[in-house]
Amino acid sequence: DDSLAHLFLFSLTMVVFLIAVSGNTLTILLICADPRLHTPMYLLLSQLSLMDLLHVSTTIPKMATNYLSGQKLISFVVCATQHFLYLTLGGAECLLLAFMSYDRYVAICHPLRYTVLMSRKVTLTMAAMSWLGASLNSLIYTASLMHFPFCGPRQIHHFYCEFPAVLKLVCGDITVYEATVYISTLFLLLLPILLISTSYVFILHRVIQMHAAGSKRNAFATCSSHFTVVSLSYGACIFSYMRPRSQRTPLQDKVGSVFYSIITPTLNPLIYALRNKDIAKALRKVLVRELITQRSQV
């Protein structure tokens, strides 16, 4: 209720939002502008940046508006829309990260067959499956949840319409629904984790067999960024959704949500920019070109 605290939170939220938007937008533009980055790995990375960009755009603007105005209101339709979008983008990112691990597995373990196993058609199919699979899952979740009756004080103890927070407002019997959601979330998280783990086991085995130190460094360099992003994303999602309802507290839900809906989308482009040589080279190339253009105009 403190106006100064609201102003501080608004400023902090907007700074994080601008960093996330500029970082992810820059990553997408660099991949589109540099022909050397028109490869399956960077096509998938551009989709990851697009998901992160939309993810922060789904939650932060409304949250910042609430902090600035002091009015913490959201309509039923906007809440349902926000719920559908954030679940879609979170689920799509989980699936995409699994496909990205397969891409790294093929690149390191089967380099001679990379262009065949990771053709443009296969890459686009992976991206489409991530979007469509997550959208369908989110649509079922959201439509079923919003169909339940809501009673009592309709106060969502969260900074956006997140699933556990909205579920607490339902006054009907949700035992079957909650069990179904838990099982489907289990598959949505554990199956990609299984694919990622299997891919990295084969990658590690292949790296151990390499004799050249340079080859080992290159292999680890191409996987380190992806592994860091996977750890952040899946760690926050498991913390938020895989714990029993009885062990959850509003504060823990908020902390977990901050990680996977705000911090992770903000850090992802920074992780790839700082640890990926191709992205760094593309950025330097653009900056040098811009500097030369300005000097020639002067």
Side-chain angles (χ1 to χ4, degrees), residues 165-231:
V166 177
L167 191 64
K168 291 178 181 178
L169 304 183
V170 176
C171 54
D173 185 11
I174 58 172
T175 306
V176 177
Y177 174 73
E178 193 172 28
T180 304
V181 169
Y182 187 83
I183 294 172
S184 61
T185 304
L186 198 68
F187 280 103
L188 190 64
L189 287 176
L190 292 188
L191 285 179
I193 288 176
L194 181 62
L195 177 60
I196 292 171
S197 302
T198 304
S199 298
Y200 274 103
V201 167
F202 282 111
I203 289 172
L204 184 60
H205 181 261
R206 179 74 180 97
V207 169
I208 292 175
Q209 291 180 332
M210 293 179 179
H211 300 290
S215 299
K216 291 185 178 181
R217 282 196 300 269
N218 291 335
F220 280 120
T222 57
C223 295
S224 59
S225 300
H226 176 263
F227 187 77
T228 304
V229 171
V230 165
S231 301

Side-chain angles (χ1 to χ4, degrees), residues 16-290:
V16 173
F17 179 68
L18 292 174
I19 293 174
V21 170
S22 57
N24 286 292
T25 302
L26 181 61
T27 301
I28 295 171
L29 293 177
L30 286 174
I31 292 173
C32 293
D34 195 331
R36 294 175 301 177
L37 300 182
H38 294 176
T39 62
M41 173 184 172
Y42 292 108
L43 175 60
L44 296 176
L45 176 58
S46 67
Q47 292 298 300
L48 179 66
S49 294
L50 179 60
M51 291 171 185
D52 287 336
L53 180 61
L54 294 176
H55 207 150
V56 295
S57 300
T58 299
T59 57
I60 293 184
K62 178 61 180 174
M63 180 170 58
T65 303
N66 290 343
Y67 286 141
L68 185 63
S69 64
Q71 296 180 353
K72 304 172 183 179
L73 301 175
I74 188 168
S75 69
F76 180 84
V77 174
V78 174
C79 181
T81 304
Q82 190 181 66
H83 185 272
F84 168 75
L85 290 175
Y86 102 84
L87 274 184
T88 297
L89 295 165
E93 188 164 323
C94 287
L95 295 174
L96 187 71
L97 287 171
F99 288 133
M100 292 176 74
S101 70
Y102 174 76
D103 170 75
R104 293 299 82 210
Y105 157 73
V106 175
I108 295 173
C109 299
H110 303 283
L112 298 180
R113 301 176 59 195
Y114 182 75
T115 55
V116 177
L117 296 176
M118 288 298 299
S119 63
R120 185 172 182 82
K121 182 179 179 180
V122 172
T123 306
L124 293 175
T125 301
M126 288 180 171
M129 287 177 61
S130 299
W131 285 103
L132 293 176
S135 298
L136 179 61
N137 182 71
S138 178
L139 181 62
I140 295 173
Y141 276 15
T142 305
S144 301
L145 178 61
M146 297 304 166
H147 182 71
F148 284 111
F150 295 93
C151 53
R154 300 188 178 186
Q155 296 179 351
I156 302 174
H157 294 285
H158 215 289
F159 50 86
Y160 68 95
C161 289
E162 199 219 17
F163 174 75
V166 177
L167 191 64
K168 291 178 181 178
L169 304 183
V170 176
C171 54
D173 185 11
I174 58 172
T175 306
V176 177
Y177 174 73
E178 193 172 28
T180 304
V181 169
Y182 187 83
I183 294 172
S184 61
T185 304
L186 198 68
F187 280 103
L188 190 64
L189 287 176
L190 292 188
L191 285 179
I193 288 176
L194 181 62
L195 177 60
I196 292 171
S197 302
T198 304
S199 298
Y200 274 103
V201 167
F202 282 111
I203 289 172
L204 184 60
H205 181 261
R206 179 74 180 97
V207 169
I208 292 175
Q209 291 180 332
M210 293 179 179
H211 300 290
S215 299
K216 291 185 178 181
R217 282 196 300 269
N218 291 335
F220 280 120
T222 57
C223 295
S224 59
S225 300
H226 176 263
F227 187 77
T228 304
V229 171
V230 165
S231 301
L232 287 173
S233 300
Y234 279 92
C237 287
I238 291 173
F239 177 79
S240 296
Y241 292 107
M242 298 308 298
R243 290 176 299 130
R245 189 181 183 185
S246 59
Q247 297 180 9
R248 293 176 180 168
T249 65
L251 179 59
Q252 290 175 343
D253 288 340
K254 291 176 185 178
V255 171
S257 298
V258 165
F259 265 93
Y260 74 77
S261 66
I262 296 176
I263 295 179
T264 300
T266 304
L267 292 179
N268 283 354
L270 300 178
I271 292 171
Y272 273 99
L274 294 175
R275 306 186 72 173
N276 189 289
K277 293 181 179 180
D278 294 331
I279 294 289
K281 286 180 182 178
L283 180 59
R284 285 196 297 268
K285 183 179 177 181
V286 170
L287 293 176
V288 170
R289 185 190 304 163
E290 184 65 24

